[in-house]
Amino acid sequence: MTNMIGEAWRAGKSFVTGLNITFKEMVFRPAITVFYPDELDTVPAWFRGIPLLKTDLLTGEYNCTSCGLCVEACPVNVITLEWHQDPITKKKVADRYAIDMSRCMLCNYCIEACPFDALVMGMDYELCKVDPENMVYEMEYLLRLGLKYSSVAQPGPKAKKGALPPWVFHELTGATEEDIQDEAGFLGRAPQAKGYTPVLKAQYRKEETVVDQPPAPAPAKVEAKVAVAPAATPGMVPPDQPPANPGGTESGNKDGEEAE
Amino acid sequence: MVALWNNLPHLVQIWLLGLGKGSLILVWCLANFAFAMVLERKVSAWMQNRVGPWRSGLHGWLQAIPDLLKLFVKEYIEPRNVDRPLFILAPLVGFLSAVLIWLIVPIGPGGTAMNLDIGIIFIAAITGYDVIAIFMAGWGSNNKYSLLGAMRGAAQMISYEVTLVMSIIGVVMMVGSLRLSDIVEAQVNRGFFGWFLLPQIIGFGVFIIASLAELNRAPFDLSEAESELVSGYHTEYSGFRWAVFALTEYIHLVGWSSIAATLFLGGWSGPNLPQVLQGLGNILNGLGAFTNVAGDAVSNAAVSIGFMNTGMWAWAVGFIWFALKTYLFVFLAMWIRWTLPRVRIDQLMDLGWKFLLPVSLFNIFLTGVLRFVAVNYNGLPVSLGSFTLRLLGLWAN
């Protein structure tokens, strides 16, 4: 008998506690609902929406060197890469770079494999199509979407061991085609020959000369970026590269920088 | 108009009245369903920090209309080897048992479709049909989930029906009548503190728990436990047949809430606007101690709208109070549903037979004793409060 009354008391108490909790949730907590089609939620910087191609805003070339490591890394084989070598610049030109997003599982392996920071996991969503065949995103589309994650390539210091990999948080720079600094630059420009010196647009040129002491910092940056490539993947670069290089003096400069 | 009505043959009058009342009850039931269903979804959403249905109508409050329209045009899927008559009849039987409750509920002063003198017994009797409906659906579906759900539902509802009636008996003993309008009148005469909520607090608690079980609502929704049985007895139903089950659930919920309001919260009784203003004026006047301008103004306003004490006004106020009290219980049921997890079948049976039934029997015993004492002492109103005061020698008489 006492047991029954005690249990009833305990049950009643916990019952009231539960009701109290739900009532508080109902009255005092606002809804966290995002009214999706009307307003879009902001996604975190590590959001994996779609692999996109990055552009070097200095010259407008895409960062991709058609090395094919992403194709190798892809576990579901959704990346298609076709390339040829430009006889003049001696660089590989990507003829087709396509991702079949209907089968892509957003595993991030392609971005991790890329040695040139040419891929970024974009936070774009709303990529649905009525026809699944339209889910194959071609290079132009990937470049266009990837433009807002692009920046002027910076030859930063090498990442320390154990540090956060650079692809974990993509940087949303919000760049558009207007932000390509080269006057001759355009979106989807093939990689230029080694030592190519961009002619900057007026506004960028002025800024560069005012801010930076060295007379030609921008070309140095570009070369530094290019210079990483042969070092990382020596097999990919044609052996006749040094003689074909038109800007020999600047490459010497760059070598000196690298040695430091 | 009245002459025309009086000239009609008696049989025609009866039929016309019946059709009219029946149509009104059906419309009222559907309106309640439309509101209660959206309310359920809204309440659950608020408790889970969501907003619930939002697109259709006034921030989603008209969601029931598109829902029903959609269900109306959906395909009827019928599995092989169903027991066809049972399968088709089951939703209708359940619907009938839910709608019939409204026949005798007083929704205003004198506002019952049928003022049956067996009131409560009638309700208990037609609720029994719901058991049959559930079992028909479960047996007719030729599906083991349906059958398991129906077995559970039948066991649970039959067990709790006993407890339910036992918990009501206390109220019936205090009123001396089974008629629901008499019960409301008794509470009107007893006043606010005489509503059977407090004097019958034990019966009230048992009634709430037992009616939740009777309604198959969480935490006692074992017969449609979606995590164990797919959807219980209405697993195989689709389209409008399923919609009828949904209708039944909510009409039943509102019906039982209205009965709870009638039995324990005084039904349609409640202060109307003149009375509220009069009371406010009295308080402002300090109960006559310091009569001032503001208190007089409020009192005069109360007198000037005194016509609201009578006729259609009184009926409308009674109806509003009734609806408010009903939806208080509807909300309580939803609140409990979205708070508590489902109980196990053995816990359910333990609760019903080993706890609620003895407690409700004890309630009957206690009510009887108090009633006896009260009747033998000047017929004072029976309540735990007055009884205690009498024992302490504090009661004047």
Side-chain angles (χ1 to χ4, degrees):
Chain A
M1 188 65 188
T2 50
N3 187 27
M4 192 178 89
I5 291 170
E7 282 213 0
W9 173 250
R10 212 161 50 85
K13 220 168 66 174
S14 53
F15 174 67
V16 170
T17 310
L19 287 185
N20 190 21
I21 288 171
T22 43
F23 191 77
K24 274 185 194 160
E25 289 288 321
M26 185 177 86
V27 177
F28 298 113
R29 285 266 193 100
I32 57 170
T33 307
V34 176
F35 292 88
Y36 161 58
D38 302 337
E39 54 185 67
L40 296 178
D41 200 2
T42 52
V43 291
W46 53 87
F47 186 79
R48 298 190 202 159
I50 175 176
L52 298 169
L53 286 171
K54 271 173 129 178
T55 303
D56 183 2
L57 283 182
L58 188 69
T59 58
E61 334 163 49
Y62 42 83
N63 287 358
C64 179
T65 57
S66 307
C67 65
L69 283 181
C70 50
V71 182
E72 292 293 317
C74 184
V76 283
N77 294 332
V78 298
I79 304 179
T80 310
L81 174 63
E82 292 165 12
W83 57 272
H84 73 273
Q85 190 179 16
D86 191 315
I88 301 167
T89 61
K90 303 296 180 195
K91 291 282 181 75
K92 287 190 210 166
V93 177
D95 299 321
R96 181 165 187 239
Y97 189 96
I99 299 181
D100 183 1
M101 282 307 290
S102 64
R103 289 190 291 123
C104 174
M105 59 185 197
L106 306 169
C107 64
N108 208 40
Y109 279 11
C110 48
I111 284 94
E112 290 177 38
C114 184
F116 300 107
D117 192 24
L119 279 169
V120 62
M121 209 34 135
M123 58 183 191
D124 301 78
Y125 46 103
E126 291 188 324
L127 301 165
C128 19
K129 296 279 193 294
V130 176
D131 189 351
E133 288 187 10
N134 294 339
M135 293 293 285
V136 179
Y137 289 101
E138 295 292 341
M139 188 169 181
E140 192 192 340
Y141 187 88
L142 298 175
L143 278 170
R144 200 166 288 285
L145 270 184
L147 199 54
K148 63 172 176 284
Y149 306 99
S150 304
S151 55
V152 178
Q154 299 283 345
K158 270 200 162 178
K160 271 180 274 178
K161 212 167 186 182
L164 201 63
W167 41 261
V168 173
F169 301 104
H170 58 65
E171 286 173 38
L172 190 65
T173 56
T176 58
E177 278 187 72
E178 308 294 316
D179 292 329
I180 295 176
Q181 298 185 0
D182 191 354
E183 260 180 354
F186 55 90
L187 187 65
R189 197 184 190 187
Q192 294 303 300
K194 199 171 187 188
Y196 165 76
T197 314
V199 184
L200 299 183
K201 286 176 188 166
Q203 65 269 32
Y204 300 112
R205 199 187 309 144
K206 206 174 71 186
E207 193 187 325
E208 293 279 326
T209 47
V210 168
V211 173
D212 292 310
Q213 286 294 64
K221 278 177 191 169
V222 175
E223 283 154 62
K225 176 197 66 114
V226 176
V228 179
T233 54
M236 306 283 299
V237 178
D240 57 346
Q241 190 196 23
N245 192 356
T249 53
E250 286 181 351
S251 80
N253 269 343
K254 166 224 39 172
D255 284 341
E257 282 177 21
E258 284 292 306
E260 292 164 17
Chain B
M1 197 67 188
V2 177
L4 183 70
W5 175 256
N6 288 337
N7 285 339
L8 284 174
H10 186 57
L11 202 64
V12 176
Q13 280 183 359
I14 287 175
W15 273 94
L16 281 180
L17 260 181
L19 280 176
K21 283 176 176 174
S23 316
L24 271 180
I25 286 176
L26 274 180
V27 169
W28 166 246
C29 284
L30 286 180
N32 270 317
F33 162 76
F35 183 67
M37 191 205 74
V38 184
L39 185 70
E40 168 105 67
R41 292 172 64 176
K42 282 283 187 185
V43 165
S44 73
W46 293 333
M47 286 179 180
Q48 297 161 1
N49 300 335
R50 299 182 284 116
V51 292
W54 192 263
R55 293 279 156 195
S56 43
L58 314 158
H59 282 191
W61 281 99
L62 303 181
Q63 180 70 35
I65 298 165
D67 272 12
L68 275 184
L69 284 178
K70 182 207 76 173
L71 287 170
F72 202 69
V73 297
K74 271 180 86 170
E75 184 189 3
Y76 291 137
I77 298 167
E78 211 167 286
R80 245 178 301 166
N81 299 332
V82 294
D83 197 336
R84 205 151 187 282
L86 290 188
F87 188 72
I88 291 172
L89 270 179
L92 301 180
V93 174
F95 185 68
L96 209 62
S97 83
V99 169
L100 281 182
I101 290 179
W102 287 99
L103 266 186
I104 61 159
V105 175
I107 59 174
T112 43
M114 285 172 78
N115 208 354
L116 289 181
D117 52 356
I118 54 165
I120 296 295
I121 303 293
F122 177 76
I123 290 173
I126 56 172
T127 311
Y129 279 105
D130 206 35
V131 187
I132 298 176
I134 285 180
F135 210 78
M136 279 164 79
W139 183 262
S141 294
N142 186 30
N143 175 332
K144 47 188 159 218
Y145 291 125
S146 301
L147 187 59
L148 277 173
M151 299 278 265
R152 287 182 180 187
Q156 163 185 346
M157 291 172 80
I158 289 171
S159 314
Y160 275 85
E161 223 156 84
V162 180
T163 314
L164 197 65
V165 176
M166 292 292 175
S167 67
I168 296 173
I169 284 179
V171 173
V172 174
M173 285 167 79
M174 289 180 72
V175 179
S177 168
L178 290 165
R179 203 192 290 264
L180 281 181
S181 57
D182 284 354
I183 293 175
V184 177
E185 289 291 343
Q187 292 180 81
V188 171
N189 296 335
R190 293 162 64 90
F192 176 74
F193 292 103
W195 287 356
F196 294 132
L197 175 66
L198 287 178
Q200 286 289 327
I201 187 74
I202 301 174
F204 173 73
V206 174
F207 180 85
I208 289 295
I209 299 173
S211 57
L212 280 182
E214 184 73 21
L215 288 166
N216 283 327
R217 278 189 75 80
F220 306 116
D221 58 343
L222 288 153
S223 62
E224 45 191 293
E226 67 272 359
S227 49
E228 306 160 27
L229 319 167
V230 181
S231 187
Y233 56 89
H234 53 68
T235 304
E236 295 292 357
Y237 283 86
S238 58
F240 207 72
R241 289 174 193 159
W242 183 85
V244 171
F245 272 120
L247 279 171
T248 307
E249 186 184 341
Y250 285 101
I251 294 171
H252 231 132
L253 171 65
V254 181
W256 273 110
S257 303
S258 73
I259 288 173
T262 303
L263 290 177
F264 295 103
L265 279 192
W268 45 260
S269 69
N272 53 16
L273 199 54
Q275 287 167 349
V276 170
L277 285 181
Q278 190 67 59
L280 197 62
N282 282 343
I283 290 173
L284 283 177
N285 279 335
L287 300 173
F290 46 92
T291 311
N292 53 38
V293 185
D296 281 346
V298 174
S299 295
N300 288 337
V303 173
S304 67
I305 57 169
F307 62 89
M308 290 178 75
N309 281 321
T310 53
M312 278 310 283
W313 283 102
W315 202 92
V317 170
F319 178 74
I320 288 171
W321 275 115
F322 169 77
L324 277 178
K325 289 168 182 174
T326 301
Y327 272 91
L328 182 73
F329 281 109
V330 172
F331 174 73
L332 183 68
M334 290 172 181
W335 189 7
I336 291 172
R337 169 169 181 178
W338 294 103
T339 299
L340 296 184
R342 187 180 305 122
V343 299
R344 269 195 332 257
I345 184 79
D346 60 321
Q347 292 168 337
L348 179 86
M349 288 299 162
D350 271 4
L351 181 69
W353 289 110
K354 293 187 189 167
F355 181 72
L356 291 184
L357 189 60
V359 165
S360 57
L361 287 174
F362 171 72
N363 182 45
I364 293 172
F365 165 74
L366 189 67
T367 312
V369 169
L370 294 184
R371 179 88 184 141
F372 176 79
V373 170
V375 165
N376 286 293
Y377 285 85
N378 309 330
L380 270 173
V382 178
S383 67
L384 275 176
S386 69
F387 181 58
T388 318
L389 290 176
R390 183 183 302 284
L391 284 185
L392 295 174
L394 293 175
W395 196 268
N397 286 3

